[in-house]
């Protein structure tokens, strides 16, 4: 156990090899913090720590992660609002001296830092401005790390969005199941989607706080990302749903699984049938045909499309 510093909505504990951030639970605590609960950040994952004046008689400690060290911040890509940044600890101004002591103690444990990030000004604060999307001077000198140093949120995870429900088993598969009221005809024609993590190379998350909120899975095959998310079967659209506290940890968990797969050799593919095509489970094919028939009866698939797709599915048996 190390030094503990309690702030507003969170507590920092300084261990010999990591900063442990524990988030409070309560109606005033940002819901993202409640969803994260606790994060263990190795010292090597941090580029710097700063202290700046806050709002309404507060000071703010900000632990700045290195580029590529945290899957949550990688998925967020600078879109988090200031009060939802899990690396900020807000304290009453009367605790400034304790905050300075804690900042200096944490800095002494960080790896050697290039540049001059976080140089105190004449009043003890960093001579830099604290605002949304801000990156302290000097952190750009850190090359992105080769692997995530902070553990992603644990799975399994799921959330409801405007045009469907997303689920992730925590290791190998992501599934999108479309809503009967919100999904576009293109998504209904494509059917519910199941993605193998080893076939993905990234995740694109656009905050539901914006007008274009969505989560898109990026395939290794290099599929087009010019398709609008509402028509792309590899995307799920948030609308008024898919809030940050559910969709962002989900995106980070998937991204963490993708990077983990990247570091594990992919086993050789099993031999295919004589015709060169791997056989699918008959039950899964039958379920796809049943779903296709429902779309055909609903008028969302033409006779020609139904016949062609059914023949394609039967050929997989």
């Amino acid at each position: 156990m190390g030094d503990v510093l309690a702030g507003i909505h969170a507590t920092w504990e300084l261990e010999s090899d990591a900063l442990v951030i524990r988030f409070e639970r309560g109606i005033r605590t940002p819901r993202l913090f409640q969803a994260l609960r606790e994060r263990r950040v190795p010292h090597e994952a941090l580029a710097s720590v700063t202290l700046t004046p806050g709002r309404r008689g507060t000071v703010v400690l900000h632990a700045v992660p290195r580029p590529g060290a945290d899957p949550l911040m990688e998925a967020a890509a600078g879109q988090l609002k200031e009060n939802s940044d899990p690396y900020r600890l807000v304290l009453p101004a009367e605790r400034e001296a304790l905050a300075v002591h804690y900042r200096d103690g944490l800095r002494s444990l960080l790896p050697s830092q290039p540049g001059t990030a976080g140089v105190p000004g004449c009043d003890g604060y960093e001579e830099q401005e604290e605002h949304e999307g801000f990156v302290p001077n000097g952190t750009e000198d850190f090359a992105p790390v080769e692997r995530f140093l902070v553990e992603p949120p644990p799975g399994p995870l799921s959330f409801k969005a405007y045009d469907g429900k997303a689920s992730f088993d925590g290791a190998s598969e992501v599934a999108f199941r479309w809503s009967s009221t919100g999904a576009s005809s293109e998504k209904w024609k494509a059917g519910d989607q199941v993605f193998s993590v080893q076939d993905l190379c990234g995740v694109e998350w656009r905050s539901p706080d914006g007008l274009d909120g969505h989560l898109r899975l990026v395939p290794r095959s290099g599929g087009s990302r010019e398709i609008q998310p509402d028509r792309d079967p590899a995307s799920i659209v948030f609308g008024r749903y898919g809030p940050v506290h559910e969709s962002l940890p989900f995106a980070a968990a998937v991204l963490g699984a993708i990077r983990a797969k990247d570091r594990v050799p992919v086993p050789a593919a099993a031999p295919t049938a004589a015709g060169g095509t791997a056989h699918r489970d008959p039950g899964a094919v039958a379920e796809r045909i049943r779903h296709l028939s429902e779309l055909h009866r609903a008028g969302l698939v033409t006779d020609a499309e139904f016949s062609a797709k059914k023949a394609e599915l039967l050929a997989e048996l």
Side-chain angles (χ1 to χ4, degrees):
M1 300 292 287
D3 292 338
V4 176
L5 182 62
I8 300 171
H9 304 318
T11 298
W12 285 10
E13 181 176 347
L14 191 58
E15 296 186 345
S16 61
D17 61 343
L19 170 65
V20 179
I21 305 174
R22 296 186 177 90
F23 300 102
E24 295 179 355
R25 300 180 64 83
I27 58 174
R28 295 186 177 182
T29 303
R31 299 184 74 180
L32 176 61
F33 292 179
Q34 297 185 51
L36 295 175
R37 297 189 178 183
E38 179 177 315
R39 311 207 77 212
R40 191 175 189 278
V41 185
H43 296 153
E44 62 179 328
L46 295 175
S48 67
V49 56
T50 66
L51 177 65
T52 56
R55 300 172 182 171
R56 299 178 182 177
T58 62
V59 294
V60 179
L61 273 172
H62 187 197
V64 184
R66 293 177 60 185
D70 184 350
L72 187 84
M73 304 308 285
E74 286 295 294
Q79 299 173 76
L80 283 179
K81 294 181 178 179
E82 187 179 81
N83 62 358
S84 294
D85 184 344
Y87 285 90
R88 297 173 77 253
L89 183 69
V90 181
L91 303 118
E94 57 265 25
R95 306 191 72 187
E96 176 189 336
L98 184 58
V100 169
H101 172 75
Y102 202 95
R103 177 200 63 188
D104 294 344
L106 180 53
R107 279 182 178 173
S108 69
L109 297 173
L110 300 186
S112 178
Q113 303 175 34
T116 56
V119 177
C122 60
D123 57 359
Y125 293 114
E126 274 62 41
E127 293 181 331
Q128 50 199 14
E129 203 175 338
E130 183 84 6
H131 58 80
E132 186 174 347
F134 167 70
V135 178
N137 295 329
T139 56
E140 67 273 10
D141 294 331
F142 283 89
V145 297
E146 295 181 356
R147 61 184 178 86
F148 289 134
L149 301 174
V150 182
E151 289 294 322
L157 296 169
S158 65
F159 68 90
K160 289 184 178 180
Y162 172 72
D163 62 356
K165 179 180 179 181
S167 58
F168 175 47
D169 64 4
S172 59
E173 284 190 349
V174 182
F176 292 164
R177 307 206 178 276
W178 307 123
S179 162
S180 59
T181 56
S184 64
S185 59
E186 289 88 352
K187 290 185 176 180
W188 272 106
K189 288 180 181 180
D192 293 339
Q193 302 290 300
V194 177
F195 303 89
S196 172
V197 167
Q198 68 182 13
D199 294 332
L200 303 174
C201 67
V203 175
E204 176 186 277
W205 181 79
R206 293 292 177 268
S207 174
D209 290 337
L211 297 176
D212 187 32
H214 68 270
L215 183 147
R216 190 195 305 265
L217 303 176
V218 184
R220 293 187 186 276
S221 59
S224 174
R225 296 171 69 178
E226 297 180 0
I227 304 174
Q228 290 297 316
D230 64 334
R231 296 187 289 112
D232 181 6
S235 301
I236 196 160
V237 175
F238 298 146
R240 295 172 297 163
Y241 303 90
V244 171
H245 75 280
E246 293 182 340
S247 60
L248 180 56
F250 184 101
V254 174
L255 188 56
I258 291 171
R259 296 285 179 87
K261 292 287 186 183
D262 286 343
R263 298 180 62 83
V264 177
V266 178
T272 60
T277 302
H279 290 304
R280 289 198 178 188
D281 175 47
V285 173
E287 177 63 22
R288 291 293 302 274
I289 292 176
R290 182 194 64 77
H291 183 59
L292 185 65
S293 298
E294 293 177 354
L295 297 178
H296 182 235
R297 288 194 296 271
L300 296 173
V301 176
T302 66
D303 292 343
E305 289 173 331
F306 173 73
S307 299
K309 187 64 177 178
K310 182 178 178 180
E312 179 184 321
L313 290 170
L314 290 174
E316 295 178 1
L317 293 175

